[in-house]
Amino acid sequence: MSSSKADWRVVVPETVDDNQPLFFSPHEWSTIEAATARIMPTDHDPGAREAGVVRFIDRYLSGITYIYAAADGSGFLELAGKEAEAWRARIFDMRHTYRCGIRDLDASAAGRSGGLDFVSLSEPEQDAALEELSGANKPDPLSFETDTIAGAFQMGAFDEGLPFFQALLLHTRQGFYGDPVYGGNRDRVGWKVIGFPGPDSLADTISGAYSLRDSYLADYSWPELIPHLRTKEARS
Amino acid sequence: MTNSDKTTPEHADVLIVGMGASGGTAAKVLSEAGYSVVGLERGPWLTPAKHFSGDEVKFVNRNYLWADPRIAPRTLRMSEDEVAERYPFSMVPFTVGGGTTHWAGWFPRPRESDFLQRSLHGDIPGASLVDWPFRYEHLEPYLTKVEWAFGCAGLAGADKYEPFRSAGYPTAPLPPTKFGKRFYDACNRLGINGFPIPQATISEPYRGRTPTNWTGFWNTYGDPTSTRSSTLTTFIPDAVATGNLELRPECYVREVMVGPDGRATGVLYTDADGRDVVQTANVVILCLGAIESARLMLQSTSSSFPDGIGNSSGQVGRNATFHEYVFAVGLFDEPLDGWVGNYISGGSFEFYETDESRGFINGGFIGASMTGQPGNWILPGRPAWGQSAKDADREFFGRAMKIGNTVHDLPVESNRVDLDPTVKDAWGLPVARITHRSHPNDVALSRWQVNKNAEILEAAGARKTIPVYINEGHSTGNSCHQHGTARMGTDPSKSVLNEWGQSHDVDNLFVLDGSGFPTATGVNPTLTIMANAWRCAEYIDEVYARGREAEIPREHRTSSSKVGTR
Ligand SMILES: Cc1cc2nc3c(=O)[nH]c(=O)nc-3n(C[C@H](O)[C@H](O)[C@H](O)COP(=O)(O)OP(=O)(O)OC[C@H]3O[C@@H](n4cnc5c(N)ncnc54)[C@H](O)[C@@H]3O)c2cc1C
């Protein structure tokens, strides 16, 4: 069997329906669950806790079983060859990043509470620990009135080499908004919060069953949109 | 994989390295002309309906298609006196179909001024401007050929500034999106000529293809259907159908081999099982993308070419140009469904040509585009966490659009690709090191154009705009457009290739990707790359392989061409 990406087998992992940790210790699980709940908090709408973001991250760190869903969502790809080696090494490094990050969170918590761990802190205290870890204040709201300027950045957002806090932010977004097949975004709550229709399944994005065709304009005329088309020059 | 039992496969007429946009085009033209063609591609040969779907985590965040930076790293620095750091610069997918497997498909034609930068602007300090060795009118017939054979969507006559075109578009434009409509309305208010951006997609049934992908999972996602035009689903199957193309995926070419006479004999590659294989051919064509083609040439040293094959000029890798993609995002009160569409909608060439009063040369081809799916939707400067983060997503996802442009990157001799002295890839080979600092003209252009884009957003009703400029001359390679590392030109001491993409030094070596671009152009380059590959492949067939250089009028003849291969 070739190790080509074209030939990677689709397998359904035994643990696919589990809700227990596959990688985290119970303490690590509850720490990450609490931290992600401060990153994407619960308000009148569900947040990271309800979406199962910790389950998404735990699966990601569990090995290379849950890296890529099969295109139609029927299982996961069994990585082989150089990609498998690269991913194994990347996950190994990312586990270390998380283990150290969780330790730092607990150390910061202990420092500010006289010995409690991060999970046991109040929410404002947890925010303070996250601020310390990030080296910046908790972000201000974005509004029409504030000024924002940014520099060019890359299109994809890969986690290669990211420090713990940045990785945690990125993974929280992915677990909240990614396709539910990866173990987060439970009942598509992330999509519901922001009004993204989202497909019922990945298979529907292949078959055409998921279509946004009706959200394009139906009633339009090019000469009305483009005055130049009404000139002599354009008609000739 | 075919041929896996052979370590010395049969000799071929033509060998093409890289089966992406340019390689797919050359393979089609030459296999249809009857040559035996071997195509070597380092990546896999995927099947759209089996491997692609609307999975944001997989395609945008976990690099299913983008090259893995642990396997194929690159390094980046701003100047020669810095140590380059690992950075995934311009990582176009390594896979059959190359970048066209997951691109947005902006498919604009270049403009006449793009070929005449030196004549128009003279000597711009710090830049190495030159004219192309041919002009728009020489490329025009091939632009039309590619548009019709590949399939695209557009509306002839709508772009007020377009130069002559010999035919219209094979399919109509896609319908406008909600944000596209906003763009047209704003343009009309401001007297700007908006028009549907020509796109490498079909909008109606065309040559056995049906547009069925209306999912919005478009730029950076593989398309499971035949809606988007990619060489994986068009030119490569055309070439395979002739029976003349043998395409071998998972074959990593590491050296172009040179005979005692200084001509190319073929290549050395490592196959999927780790075996080293030599493939010989009469003609060797490099189509690896401008970064990897330069790297392969520099890696291919021999007694004839101690500094890399075809590099007697010392110019291989130099004058590398990469468009930086800059834009402004507008936030609105009303829903714009920023996740709906095929990435782009209306665009304009209103600002493309030089206006001295702006204080820089050239200008931007702008386009309105989607902001994307929930996890990675484009909100620069977003609050990163906490209630503010959640509120920003809830309030503005779907109420945003962007207007962007790739920045016409002026060539600078010290902006280059060479071999990193320390960093190696998973095969132990030196990786491409990119040295690049944006010319001040690029920085000024980016600032002016992004501010203009923001103005248009305001006219469209944006309550807030967020500009994204080039960072202090620092490129990120975010457009994945690569050009200029093996310039075409008439003087062998100042350029690497002649006007036919043929090496001045090695008559049977051609480079047909963006490497040959003497200057970057200000448009998304792939239509130009493919049209040029078609044009040069036709030259290989009709002139070079038949030993007919002597029939070319003297003024079009190049210095070094030796006669014939078969
Ligand atoms: C997300 C994204 C969006 C884009 N959108 C647009 C757009 O809208 N419009 C536009 O014009 N352009 C766009 N581009 C850029 C476009 O993809 C490239 O311009 C185009 O693919 C370049 O064609 P090419 O033939 O030079 O190289 P590629 O298409 O990159 O093909 C090169 C091929 O060579 C292979 N190869 C490399 N090294 C070796 C080796 N050593 N041995 C064997 N094979 C090798 C690679 O695997 C690859 O398949 C986009 C790119 C990206 C990544």
Side-chain angles (χ1 to χ4, degrees):
Chain A
M1 193 65 191
S2 115
S3 62
S4 169
K5 192 183 272 180
D7 301 326
W8 290 349
R9 286 196 313 145
V10 175
V11 289
V12 180
E14 272 171 36
T15 48
V16 78
D17 295 321
D18 285 10
N19 277 314
Q20 291 79 17
L22 305 180
F23 165 68
F24 286 137
S25 69
H27 174 71
E28 288 167 341
W29 176 284
S30 49
T31 306
I32 293 301
E33 187 171 43
T36 56
R38 296 316 303 146
I39 291 168
M40 191 59 82
T42 307
D43 49 18
H44 57 278
D45 281 323
R49 196 182 293 276
E50 294 72 29
V53 167
V54 63
R55 183 169 178 250
F56 168 91
I57 298 176
D58 176 69
R59 283 183 181 205
Y60 180 50
L61 297 177
S62 70
I64 59 169
T65 310
Y66 289 102
I67 303 299
Y68 295 129
D72 62 1
S74 60
F76 284 82
L77 299 180
E78 193 175 77
L79 278 54
K82 289 203 156 51
E83 265 102 347
E85 285 167 36
W87 270 105
R88 232 174 255 124
R90 184 155 35 240
I91 295 300
F92 181 87
D93 291 349
M94 193 51 82
R95 286 176 166 189
H96 182 71
T97 301
Y98 266 81
R99 294 232 137 111
C100 296
I102 291 167
R103 236 172 280 146
D104 291 346
L105 273 180
D106 278 336
S108 161
R112 69 186 63 249
S113 66
L116 293 178
D117 56 18
F118 180 81
V119 193
S120 315
L121 299 184
S122 68
E123 289 183 347
E125 285 170 325
Q126 287 179 340
D127 285 353
L130 289 170
E131 285 182 322
E132 183 183 332
L133 190 70
S134 72
N137 290 336
K138 198 173 167 183
D140 290 328
L142 179 80
S143 75
F144 286 141
E145 285 69 41
T146 50
D147 266 349
T148 317
I149 298 185
F153 49 87
Q154 290 197 320
M155 284 184 266
F158 199 28
D159 60 11
E160 177 80 29
L162 288 184
F164 173 63
F165 186 71
Q166 304 307 326
L168 187 62
L169 294 185
L170 187 63
H171 295 153
T172 302
R173 286 192 76 78
Q174 292 169 16
F176 195 60
Y177 292 126
D179 194 278
V181 76
Y182 289 97
N185 192 8
R186 183 179 293 135
D187 300 327
R188 305 144 51 93
V189 293
W191 294 348
K192 285 177 197 155
V193 168
I194 59 171
F196 177 62
D200 286 339
S201 70
L202 288 174
D204 283 0
T205 68
I206 302 176
S207 67
Y210 175 69
S211 170
L212 304 174
R213 185 71 184 76
D214 293 343
S215 303
Y216 293 65
L217 258 60
D219 206 12
Y220 63 94
S221 112
W222 290 117
E224 257 168 52
L225 292 172
I226 306 168
H228 178 65
L229 285 170
R230 308 199 293 267
T231 63
K232 251 230 242 53
E233 188 195 334
R235 279 196 304 263
S236 66
Chain B
M1 188 191 310
T2 48
N3 242 326
S4 58
D5 51 333
K6 292 191 196 165
T7 45
T8 45
E10 250 169 68
H11 184 78
D13 291 337
V14 177
L15 164 62
I16 304 176
V17 185
M19 287 282 109
S22 57
T25 307
K28 173 183 165 73
V29 173
L30 292 167
S31 53
E32 287 179 351
Y35 297 88
S36 67
V37 180
V38 168
L40 298 175
E41 165 56 51
R42 67 178 289 174
W45 194 349
L46 300 172
T47 307
K50 185 173 157 206
H51 293 115
F52 299 157
S53 61
D55 181 342
E56 186 177 6
V57 168
K58 180 177 177 180
F59 284 90
V60 189
N61 292 110
R62 293 189 186 165
N63 282 25
Y64 177 72
L65 278 174
W66 267 304
D68 191 312
R70 288 197 182 215
I71 298 172
R74 281 185 183 142
T75 63
L76 176 66
R77 59 182 184 171
M78 281 181 84
S79 67
E80 309 250 328
D81 44 21
E82 288 169 27
V83 176
E85 309 246 351
R86 281 173 184 255
Y87 187 80
F89 189 90
S90 194
M91 299 295 262
V92 183
F94 290 149
T95 181
V96 173
T100 65
T101 53
H102 80 161
W103 64 340
W106 304 62
F107 216 47
R109 288 186 168 209
R111 307 285 130 156
E112 286 154 316
S113 60
D114 289 322
F115 299 82
L116 296 165
Q117 289 281 301
R118 180 81 190 190
S119 299
L120 290 171
H121 307 298
D123 189 11
I124 300 279
S128 52
L129 285 189
V130 287
D131 287 349
W132 286 47
F134 55 89
R135 295 186 182 195
Y136 175 81
E137 68 208 64
H138 300 115
L139 197 62
E140 200 287 330
Y142 300 93
L143 294 168
T144 299
K145 280 182 207 230
V146 171
E147 286 169 348
W148 284 79
F150 195 45
C152 65
L155 186 62
D159 171 9
K160 183 172 156 188
Y161 302 101
E162 192 174 62
F164 168 75
R165 61 160 54 242
S166 50
Y169 291 90
T171 75
L174 293 169
T177 55
K178 272 185 196 150
F179 65 82
K181 171 83 164 66
R182 289 284 174 148
F183 178 77
Y184 291 115
D185 290 347
C187 284
N188 291 339
R189 228 161 274 148
L190 299 172
I192 294 168
N193 169 234
F195 73 99
I197 299 175
Q199 194 168 11
T201 183
I202 51 159
S203 61
E204 49 200 304
Y206 185 69
R207 298 199 171 176
R209 298 160 59 188
T210 318
T212 50
N213 186 346
W214 302 101
T215 61
F217 295 107
W218 193 260
N219 190 31
T220 75
Y221 296 87
D223 179 0
T225 76
S226 58
T227 310
R228 175 193 288 147
S229 303
S230 83
T231 53
L232 171 65
T233 53
T234 59
F235 286 2
I236 289 165
D238 289 352
V240 170
T242 64
N244 293 330
L245 170 66
E246 193 197 322
L247 197 172
R248 280 177 231 148
E250 311 278 351
C251 293
Y252 180 32
V253 175
R254 45 200 301 167
E255 188 182 335
V256 181
M257 307 188 61
V258 179
D261 57 357
R263 301 182 81 227
T265 55
V267 301
L268 169 69
Y269 67 88
T270 304
D271 72 10
D273 303 317
R275 279 176 309 192
D276 286 345
V277 182
V278 171
Q279 172 69 54
T280 59
N282 291 341
V283 179
V284 175
I285 303 179
L286 304 186
C287 293
L288 298 76
I291 292 177
E292 294 298 317
S293 283
R295 172 177 173 233
L296 179 61
M297 290 173 82
L298 293 171
Q299 230 163 242
S300 303
T301 53
S302 58
S303 52
S304 310
F305 299 106
D307 301 322
I309 192 165
N311 193 22
S312 68
S313 62
Q315 289 289 305
V316 171
R318 293 195 173 276
N319 301 297
T321 49
F322 311 102
H323 293 149
E324 195 68 2
Y325 178 63
V326 295
F327 52 86
V329 170
L331 302 181
F332 291 70
D333 280 325
E334 309 81 24
L336 293 178
D337 302 350
W339 63 87
V340 172
N342 302 54
Y343 193 65
I344 44 178
S345 198
S348 180
F349 274 93
E350 193 75 39
F351 312 103
Y352 195 74
E353 300 299 339
T354 300
D355 172 350
E356 301 278 335
S357 71
R358 297 180 200 150
F360 56 87
I361 63 166
N362 300 318
F365 162 49
I366 62 170
S369 49
M370 294 166 61
T371 42
Q373 282 73 27
N376 299 277
W377 79 277
I378 311 279
L379 178 61
R382 65 158 35 91
W385 61 281
Q387 192 65 46
S388 307
K390 190 176 184 190
D391 288 343
D393 281 346
R394 195 163 37 201
E395 280 168 43
F396 299 117
F397 176 71
R399 292 196 175 82
M401 65 180 276
K402 77 181 158 43
I403 301 180
N405 58 282
T406 57
V407 175
H408 194 146
D409 175 5
L410 292 194
V412 174
E413 206 186 2
S414 55
N415 284 345
R416 68 189 294 200
V417 172
D418 66 357
L419 303 179
D420 194 283
T422 53
V423 179
K424 306 275 187 283
D425 71 5
W427 289 260
L429 298 173
V431 306
R433 171 172 68 178
I434 285 90
T435 306
H436 190 278
R437 179 192 294 274
S438 301
H439 188 278
N441 193 78
D442 308 0
V443 178
L445 192 166
S446 131
R447 201 154 261 282
W448 186 92
Q449 190 64 66
V450 169
N451 290 341
K452 180 58 75 178
N453 297 351
E455 231 175 277
I456 301 171
L457 287 167
E458 275 156 28
R463 293 281 312 277
K464 174 187 170 79
T465 58
I466 306 169
V468 176
Y469 307 113
I470 291 181
N471 294 327
E472 294 159 27
H474 214 303
S475 288
T476 66
N478 66 356
S479 73
C480 296
H481 300 172
Q482 312 172 0
H483 354 68
T485 54
R487 281 176 146 183
M488 292 183 280
T490 47
D491 180 349
S493 71
K494 296 199 176 110
S495 58
V496 178
L497 309 172
N498 69 16
E499 71 198 281
W500 306 109
Q502 179 181 24
S503 160
H504 289 301
D505 296 340
V506 184
D507 79 285
N508 64 340
L509 177 68
F510 290 77
V511 188
L512 301 190
D513 52 32
S515 304
F517 283 30
T519 56
T521 89
V523 295
N524 314 67
T526 312
L527 171 59
T528 309
I529 292 175
M530 293 171 78
N532 184 54
W534 192 309
R535 176 184 153 273
C536 296
E538 210 174 86
Y539 168 85
I540 292 172
D541 168 33
E542 293 179 0
V543 180
Y544 176 78
R546 297 169 207 254
R548 289 166 57 180
E549 279 97 331
E551 293 169 31
I552 301 181
R554 180 166 298 280
E555 64 273 23
H556 290 298
R557 228 180 287 160
T558 53
S559 48
S560 61
S561 311
K562 286 184 209 122
V563 167
T565 56
R566 6 179 268 171

